[in-house]
Amino acid sequence: MTNVTENITCPVKRIECIPPEKIYSKGTIFPLEVGMKRVKLSKTYFCNGQEFSSLPLYDTGGPYSDPSVSIDPEKGLPPIRKSWGFQRDEKAASSITQMHFARKGIITPEMEYVSIRENQQLEEWISSFSRGGAKVSPITPEFVRQEIAEGRAIIPANINHPELEPMIIGRKFRVKINANIGNSALGSSIEEEVEKAVWSCRWGADTVMDLSTGANIHQTREWILRNSPVPIGTVPMYQALEKAGGKAEALTWELYRDTLIEQAEQGVDYFTIHAGILLEHLPFAEKRLTGIVSRGGSIMAKWCKYHKEENFLYTRFEEICKILQRYDIAVSLGDALRPGSIIDANDEAQFGELKVLGELTKVAWKYEVQVMIEGPGHVPLHMIRENMDKELAYCHEAPFYTLGPLITDIAAGYDHINSAIGGALIASFGCSMLCYVTPKEHLGLPDRNDVREGVIAHKVAAHGADLAKGNPVSWLQDELMSRARYSFAWEDQFNLSLDPEKIRAVHAQSMAARGHTEKNPHFCTMCGPDFCSMKKSKEAAEQE
Amino acid sequence: MTNVTENITCPVKRIECIPPEKIYSKGTIFPLEVGMKRVKLSKTYFCNGQEFSSLPLYDTGGPYSDPSVSIDPEKGLPPIRKSWGFQRDEKAASSITQMHFARKGIITPEMEYVSIRENQQLEEWISSFSRGGAKVSPITPEFVRQEIAEGRAIIPANINHPELEPMIIGRKFRVKINANIGNSALGSSIEEEVEKAVWSCRWGADTVMDLSTGANIHQTREWILRNSPVPIGTVPMYQALEKAGGKAEALTWELYRDTLIEQAEQGVDYFTIHAGILLEHLPFAEKRLTGIVSRGGSIMAKWCKYHKEENFLYTRFEEICKILQRYDIAVSLGDALRPGSIIDANDEAQFGELKVLGELTKVAWKYEVQVMIEGPGHVPLHMIRENMDKELAYCHEAPFYTLGPLITDIAAGYDHINSAIGGALIASFGCSMLCYVTPKEHLGLPDRNDVREGVIAHKVAAHGADLAKGNPVSWLQDELMSRARYSFAWEDQFNLSLDPEKIRAVHAQSMAARGHTEKNPHFCTMCGPDFCSMKKSKEAAEQE
């Protein structure tokens, strides 16, 4: 077994790595190498007649989880997508988006990449899996292509982000999570933000949004992009507002457009654009308890009211799509009117905007721009289902990407848990990606530890939803974990968990605090040897 | 406003108190004084036409949250129930249980107490509340009586626990949470455990289970009981096993019975009794991935197999009920066969036992013993509903009390979040009480901070479920919180949150780290002044 306790220094300043075992699966259509983490197990487990002495895991860590890769943050990550030999320009001069190729029946390297990635080298297991109803099949590049062609899934992958390891967002795939980072006028340095981005994906974030609003927005984003193996999203309005001196009324289409292009050139993979909030919605928003709680939304509302004009992101949306199309940037249609309190949930303002997002989805698809739809927000448990149902109906099954939902307003300090509860539920209903919330939500900017807590809380939610949806790969991980638990294989339990480093440390502490030194005690460290139910249960079963 | 930052020393050793404002509501039938915490608000908020410049909160902290009470842990808390003038012996010589009186049509002080407590002095608000459908009414002592008579709710209150502030467990009342404490052979002192008990109820635990299995079980329990304003539950089998030298096969009925009586005399309010696991279930349990994960269950399974006899907790159940009846101890029918992995969820073993628990419920009710039913465990999200539905059907609507459920097996280190997700869902379906899980679950014994994390995570879940069920009092708290948030009333936000101390500290840190010193900044400390959506949203709304 890899000696996981021996830390090595990661070349990114001040970040320490624990070396995992990294493996690569090769593409059959394209010369791809899809990275995964492999957990070596201390013994062979039998699941449904198949033997497992290791388990490949989906890995969002990119080169950071491969100790053999030398990383120089000044140079950035290797531009892997450049070597895949897919000549976009030759194949299709008219458009270069994934949706364009998908509609033409063409499989791209990105499509093959995500199909390999989702299967985790477990095709045999997937094919044999039957728990809970319908049989499932491994994901094929052709299946990915169909889902993208229909708009039910997206691969956010700007042609200028060659460092990217493609991933797919759609409800027939693993539930994904996003981590927000970014400085604000209240501080935090470039270095801190790059560090948070790297750690986010090491802990399991599938995408990262850089929501910087303070100083050095361009430079921060550049460093993040060049060092990011996951798609990077932004809200271009934030930088546009900085350029407008912080005054919403001073914003212009030209200033916004230039910002889009600036960020597109850098390689941002998806843009949140609050194009769905219209003048007609504002009276409804004003009746609310908490008005508009989306930053981008409140900026546009202020602009619209000042100029007595319709939202230029709406009126110029076709022009925006033409820019996005050139880079294959996905649009994440922002929910400017998401509820900021449970009392505002599912109101006319929210669902009125959602209908407009459905309209805009059709416009984007006309330009073969990939679309996802952003969702709430604060929604009590019993009103969550309606959000998912309406999103699918109004937005033609475009993937849903929600912030929580938070199921109560009073959980400040614990909003990551609040959000994980609502997130697990909506993801089990079909939401494709959860935006994390950290314990600092409503209180301040997250630090590195908050990012970790936020990421893992939402990994629990996403994984729980995958299980509820019958994902065979997720079920296997739980089965192996429980087999390891029942046989007191502590190292296997650590490695199969969502945060091995943390629980390894906690377990060692618990043992040491109690004066135990065994590395693999044959009892649960919670209850001690005499009261270990698993031990007794085994003894009972063996007794005749 | 109370100066909450000025800590005072609580007489219980090493516990610091933050003085809340404590108020008392008087009974109209009995001379009761029902304690609540009152949050003074910095301004007057208007909700649905009513004015609120303060909000009474349900308070589980008992005398610990009243700075005017002097507490001497050596003496224990004041025996408040002794002064309520309810002469049980005179009124009903045949039985003294709450269920007995309820069936006779008699309202007890405990019934009036919980009705006052649940209403939080908000009768006017409750009567005017109409959000989300059916109108609700304040809870009357008569309504409490009916629910107890029908077995749909319980008030666990041993006649020998006079320090208790009664509370009610049932699905038509606030969702409750339980905190487990207790030492094990692996260590922890009496002092630590008493401290954890006190802190549990201060942070919001409605009941505390003392699951001690190590040394000094009797003494630890005595200190906990004498200093506990919340019901104390135990699993008497643990002490019985200690008396049997840790050997399951050495257990006898007599030894168990004597342990029951010993604990009954001390004042334990409810006993978990694993009477539903039968010989016929064992083959099903042996087919499972993780066998039996209940400690009490695995002990009984071992005993049954060794002696080739039926579970004596089942065969002697009527004798057990006769003991419980004398003290008005509630029985919490243990789910010995709860699934310990999601693959074992909802299987024949689990539901087979649940049916037996339904039978035993009827037996207990024959003796007018109050009953609740324990539930899982590890259950994936989509299989949670079935647990609630079957429990109501098999167990004649006796209150359900679940451990989680945990929605995945792989969240070690984050199992409090895992459990809060499943717990929120099952509570929204009607589960009456959630047993907390701490971040140490599966790894070690919780320390004080783990207890806090576990309690608050499950408060989020329980409160979220209360909102989903349309509890008017819960909705009011959220509404005030959001009104405070939208008006940047930071102190009000802190006080209306589930953990004011923690978020007050976090917010102060965030502000200080960013070089801000205002106590009540008019912007969100996450985004800074220019990007505060609430600020912008207000500006937009005010603009014409």
Side-chain angles (χ1 to χ4, degrees), chain B residues 272-306:
Chain B
T272 292
I273 300 183
H274 298 94
I277 178 173
L278 303 183
L279 280 169
E280 67 189 61
H281 300 133
L282 302 186
F284 296 116
E286 286 168 20
K287 282 194 299 184
R288 282 177 155 186
L289 196 154
T290 45
I292 302 172
V293 296
S294 142
R295 295 196 291 188
S298 65
I299 295 164
M300 282 321 300
K302 218 178 155 187
W303 185 92
C304 291
K305 286 204 71 167
Y306 183 87

Side-chain angles (χ1 to χ4, degrees), chain B residues 314-366:
Chain B
Y314 178 80
T315 58
R316 304 280 189 160
F317 193 66
E318 303 220 12
E319 288 168 76
I320 291 172
C321 288
K322 286 176 195 164
I323 298 170
L324 271 49
Q325 187 188 27
R326 293 210 300 273
Y327 301 87
D328 196 10
I329 295 169
V331 61
S332 185
L333 288 169
D335 56 334
L337 293 168
R338 69 170 178 266
S341 52
I342 59 161
I343 213 172
D344 289 344
N346 297 18
D347 69 354
E348 311 166 81
Q350 186 196 336
F351 287 141
E353 182 189 33
L354 188 63
K355 277 190 188 154
V356 179
L357 300 187
E359 266 178 48
L360 294 169
T361 300
K362 291 273 189 181
V363 175
W365 286 352
K366 197 171 76 184

Side-chain angles (χ1 to χ4, degrees), chain A residues 171 175 384-385 388 421-432 434 461-470, chain B residues 380-382 407 425:
Chain A
R171 73 183 194 283
V175 175
I384 288 177
R385 172 110 230 178
M388 191 67 228
I421 296 172
L425 197 62
I426 203 162
S428 77
F429 296 149
C431 176
S432 303
L434 302 175
H463 183 80
D466 282 332
L467 293 170
K469 289 162 69 183
Chain B
L381 267 175
H382 65 300
I407 64 163
L425 198 62

Side-chain angles (χ1 to χ4, degrees), chain A residues 451-503:
Chain A
V451 169
R452 180 184 203 150
E453 293 289 317
V455 167
I456 307 288
H458 292 77
K459 292 293 282 182
V460 176
H463 183 80
D466 282 332
L467 293 170
K469 289 162 69 183
N471 184 321
V473 160
S474 309
W475 276 85
L476 177 59
Q477 189 171 348
D478 278 50
E479 180 168 345
L480 288 169
M481 176 72 169
S482 287
R483 291 192 184 280
R485 187 170 274 155
Y486 202 59
S487 48
F488 305 106
W490 289 97
E491 274 297 316
D492 294 347
Q493 290 181 56
F494 302 150
N495 290 322
L496 289 163
S497 293
L498 292 169
D499 190 350
E501 296 165 54
K502 180 171 178 181
I503 69 164

Side-chain angles (χ1 to χ4, degrees), chain B residues 462-516:
Chain B
H463 183 81
D466 282 332
L467 294 170
K469 289 163 69 182
N471 184 321
V473 162
S474 309
W475 276 85
L476 178 59
Q477 189 171 349
D478 278 49
E479 181 168 344
L480 288 169
M481 176 71 170
S482 287
R483 290 192 184 280
R485 188 170 273 154
Y486 202 59
S487 49
F488 305 107
W490 289 97
E491 274 297 316
D492 294 346
Q493 291 180 56
F494 301 151
N495 290 323
L496 290 163
S497 292
L498 292 169
D499 189 350
E501 297 165 53
K502 180 170 176 182
I503 69 162
R504 186 173 282 112
V506 169
H507 184 257
Q509 258 174 23
S510 289
M511 290 293 285
R514 306 307 178 204
H516 284 260

Side-chain angles (χ1 to χ4, degrees), chain B residues 107-394:
Chain B
I107 288 168
T108 63
E110 287 79 7
M111 295 174 200
E112 190 188 18
Y113 193 101
V114 301
S115 70
I116 294 170
R117 203 171 185 186
E118 296 271 326
N119 290 331
Q120 290 178 216
Q121 298 189 332
L122 294 166
E123 285 79 359
E124 192 189 338
W125 168 259
I126 294 168
S127 303
S128 73
F129 187 80
S130 64
R131 178 168 301 274
K135 256 193 78 63
V136 279
S137 306
I139 287 164
T140 60
E142 171 57 20
F143 179 75
V144 171
R145 188 198 63 72
Q146 287 167 25
E147 288 296 298
I148 290 175
E150 297 295 330
R152 285 191 295 261
I154 66 171
I155 297 179
N158 186 323
I159 52 168
N160 291 337
H161 188 194
E163 301 88 353
L164 177 74
E165 299 188 350
M167 51 75 73
I168 190 161
I169 302 168
R171 72 184 195 282
K172 298 187 183 164
F173 303 94
R174 264 171 84 93
V175 175
K176 306 301 190 296
I177 69 163
N178 169 70
N180 288 338
I181 59 160
N183 63 351
S184 81
L186 301 183
S188 135
S189 68
I190 294 185
E191 197 186 0
E192 266 180 78
E193 296 310 318
V194 175
E195 230 195 2
K196 280 194 263 179
V198 170
W199 276 106
S200 295
C201 58
R202 286 178 56 81
W203 284 319
D206 294 282
T207 77
V208 166
M209 288 195 80
D210 173 18
L211 303 185
S212 293
T213 56
N216 306 313
I217 293 188
H218 183 98
Q219 205 51 37
T220 304
R221 192 169 50 235
E222 186 64 26
W223 285 115
I224 290 173
L225 273 162
R226 299 290 73 80
N227 288 288
S228 175
V230 303
I232 297 297
T234 63
V235 186
M237 180 56 75
Y238 298 170
Q239 189 181 7
L241 186 74
E242 289 290 341
K243 291 181 183 174
K247 289 194 196 315
E249 54 278 19
L251 282 165
T252 62
W253 158 244
E254 289 71 23
L255 199 152
Y256 183 81
R257 182 199 56 204
D258 295 348
T259 308
L260 279 190
I261 294 170
E262 172 189 338
Q263 298 198 10
E265 285 291 329
Q266 282 187 297
V268 173
D269 301 289
Y270 64 93
F271 286 151
T272 292
I273 300 183
H274 298 94
I277 178 173
L278 303 183
L279 280 169
E280 67 189 61
H281 300 133
L282 302 186
F284 296 116
E286 286 168 20
K287 282 194 299 184
R288 282 177 155 186
L289 196 154
T290 45
I292 302 172
V293 296
S294 142
R295 295 196 291 188
S298 65
I299 295 164
M300 282 321 300
K302 218 178 155 187
W303 185 92
C304 291
K305 286 204 71 167
Y306 183 87
H307 293 284
K308 298 190 174 45
E309 269 180 48
E310 197 52 281
N311 179 351
F312 64 76
L313 300 174
Y314 178 80
T315 58
R316 304 280 189 160
F317 193 66
E318 303 220 12
E319 288 168 76
I320 291 172
C321 288
K322 286 176 195 164
I323 298 170
L324 271 49
Q325 187 188 27
R326 293 210 300 273
Y327 301 87
D328 196 10
I329 295 169
V331 61
S332 185
L333 288 169
D335 56 334
L337 293 168
R338 69 170 178 266
S341 52
I342 59 161
I343 213 172
D344 289 344
N346 297 18
D347 69 354
E348 311 166 81
Q350 186 196 336
F351 287 141
E353 182 189 33
L354 188 63
K355 277 190 188 154
V356 179
L357 300 187
E359 266 178 48
L360 294 169
T361 300
K362 291 273 189 181
V363 175
W365 286 352
K366 197 171 76 184
Y367 291 92
E368 298 177 326
V369 168
Q370 303 182 91
V371 179
M372 63 181 165
I373 307 293
E374 295 188 10
H378 292 238
V379 183
L381 267 175
H382 65 300
M383 292 168 77
I384 288 178
R385 173 110 228 178
E386 188 184 7
N387 279 273
M388 191 66 228
D389 292 346
K390 285 220 158 69
E391 191 273 343
L392 289 174
Y394 293 173

